[in-house]
Amino acid sequence: MTRRASEPKRAALARRVERIVANTPVFDIHTHLYDPAFKDLLLWGIDELLVYHYLVAEAFRYFDTPYEQFWALPRTRQAELIWDALFVQHSPLSEACRGVLTTLNLLGLDARKRDLPALRRWFAKQNVEKHLTRCLELAKVERICMTNSPFDDLERPVWEKGFRPDERFVAALRVDPLLLAWSGTAPRLAGWGYKVGGALSAPLIGEVRRFLADWTKRIRAKYLMVSLPPDFRFPDGSMCAQLIEMAVLPHCREFGLPFALMLGVKRAVNPALRLAGDGVALADLQSLQNLCSGFPENKFLVTALPRENQHELCVLARKFRNLHVFGCWWFTNVPHVVEEMTRIRLELVGLSLTPQHSDARVLDQLVYKWSHFREILARVLTDKYAGLSRAGWEATTAEIQRDVNDLFGGAFERFCQTG
Ligand code: FIX
Ligand code: ZN
């Protein structure tokens, strides 16, 4: 076909793909949002958007105040300083800043006057339940997976007391303190009635598994999850690797649950920045290979923080069907890298993965995180279907819809159900 003839065809394909990608509901498989029954744990509104740790890290580059002086301020004052530094004194070009503006814009607010008090007045009038529904509708998110930690003193009592769940939320059991800080966690388990004193032994493992079983049932966990540092190795004599092998993996097999690994986060590179102080370094994917090949009856959901791990991770996914790649996590969730990762994943793995999760900590962030990703995905998919078309294969609308359904939660659900 001549170039002139193919241009309208490509434009029509782009419109079709954009419409499907924009309108397909998504299952957001990893967030830090909570069912509204958790009350204040569900963060929302303009001040929370501004004090998001992604923005805190950026704002500190312009501040000259000592860290602790900033943290001692009321949250509203922190938000004002961040607004001033990142939106008034400089143009908000970074992805996290642009995200605030996309969110405000799609909520129907006009931020052009740079009028923070006016924005606050609008949010003050919202009711959390209605605002939740509105954000979910704008983001076209139909289900949200929370991050649930029995070790969180604010969260644990809500589970213990019980509540009527909002069916749009599902739970995931987060086990970082168990695997990464055993010496501090063992006394807490002991305090809750689990007999975990002494050295690693069969009875101790039995008690850890009893703890995992109790919480898996209590929260009806969809999967277990841990984030791991760059120096994580498996197999290894470390407590972390041994607990994974002897307790977590058998538990996941018993309950038929995936184990989610978030690889390559270097915690507290600058502790003074608190939540904003974490960094990144290359993860050891040989260890992931050892897990996938050594435990074919286990399922691993995996995302990696370093850009440099992404290609190798896709190659591993080609070798092990018990590995499901997901998300553009944190520092990779910037348009340039998201586009690159999404292309590499589709080109190397195909559609049996989940290309994005939001990692939202503030409800309103769902709006921008999904809007920004849908724009990139539509562009990448249009290129891919156009490539097929040049090879003589025209994807039908139903086929494109099927593929997008898979990318937005279908492939994840299938992976969870297998085995
Ligand atoms: O470990 C995680 O789940 C990370 O997503 C968080 O630790 C991190 O603070 C975050 O919010 C990244 O997006
Ligand atoms: Zn997270």
Side-chain angles (χ1 to χ4, degrees), residues 71-353:
W71 293 119
L73 296 170
R75 223 162 161 73
T76 48
R77 187 65 196 132
Q78 293 173 357
E80 284 157 11
L81 291 175
I82 292 173
W83 172 258
D84 187 61
L86 298 183
F87 293 81
V88 180
Q89 301 299 330
H90 306 89
S91 291
L93 297 185
S94 76
E95 175 64 3
C97 287
R98 182 173 72 110
V100 174
L101 298 178
T102 301
T103 298
L104 296 175
N105 197 24
L106 291 174
L107 284 169
L109 290 161
D110 184 356
R112 278 176 305 183
K113 293 204 183 91
R114 282 89 166 134
D115 185 353
L116 180 58
L119 297 171
R120 281 175 164 164
R121 283 195 294 280
W122 184 88
F123 279 97
K125 282 191 251 149
Q126 308 309 309
N127 145 296
V128 63
E129 290 284 350
K130 284 200 188 127
H131 192 58
L132 167 62
T133 301
R134 182 160 186 200
C135 289
L136 293 183
E137 279 171 7
L138 283 172
K140 293 229 161 44
V141 169
E142 66 178 355
R143 225 143 30 112
I144 293 180
C145 195
M146 304 179 273
T147 295
N148 302 103
S149 175
F151 305 100
D152 184 316
D153 293 334
L154 298 174
E155 178 175 350
R156 192 178 55 257
V158 183
W159 289 111
E160 283 168 345
K161 186 159 174 268
F163 59 92
R164 184 193 293 258
D166 179 322
E167 62 193 17
R168 294 168 293 187
F169 287 79
V170 295
L173 181 57
R174 188 74 182 233
V175 292
D176 292 34
L178 181 77
L179 297 180
L180 299 170
W182 174 252
S183 57
T185 300
R188 302 189 72 192
L189 291 182
W192 298 330
Y194 300 94
K195 298 183 199 67
V196 292
L200 197 63
S201 62
L204 183 145
I205 291 294
E207 285 295 276
V208 172
R209 286 191 61 180
R210 186 163 71 83
F211 166 78
L212 294 174
D214 288 347
W215 277 93
T216 294
K217 287 186 253 175
R218 177 171 286 141
I219 73 173
R220 305 180 70 216
K222 185 101 186 142
Y223 56 80
L224 273 74
M225 179 179 248
V226 69
S227 69
L228 293 168
D231 59 5
F232 168 73
R233 294 291 179 275
F234 189 96
D236 189 47
S238 69
M239 196 61 182
C240 174
Q242 293 186 81
L243 283 171
I244 288 177
E245 179 165 358
M246 293 184 227
V248 175
L249 296 183
H251 169 80
C252 287
R253 290 195 296 272
E254 182 186 341
F255 284 79
L257 298 179
F259 183 32
L261 306 171
M262 305 183 86
L263 304 174
V265 58
K266 245 175 128 172
R267 296 289 181 194
V269 166
N270 181 356
L273 278 172
R274 301 193 179 178
L275 214 49
D278 298 338
V280 60
L282 202 65
D284 174 48
L285 296 194
Q286 179 62 54
S287 295
L288 177 61
Q289 180 186 320
N290 297 341
L291 283 163
C292 294
S293 67
F295 301 89
E297 309 284 298
N298 277 98
K299 294 180 277 189
F300 300 95
L301 288 166
V302 177
T303 196
L305 199 48
R307 181 187 184 190
E308 297 76 6
N309 275 135
Q310 303 308 326
H311 184 262
E312 190 181 352
L313 180 59
C314 288
V315 175
L316 265 188
R318 296 173 61 87
K319 310 297 140 194
F320 296 102
R321 60 185 167 170
N322 60 339
L323 167 57
H324 186 92
V325 172
F326 77 96
C328 299
W329 180 26
W330 202 346
F331 311 119
T332 63
N333 193 8
V334 290
H336 185 83
V337 180
V338 171
E339 179 150 350
E340 172 184 280
M341 282 169 63
T342 306
R343 285 182 190 278
I344 292 177
R345 287 167 169 187
L346 293 178
E347 287 167 11
L348 265 173
V349 186
L351 293 157
S352 60
L353 47 77

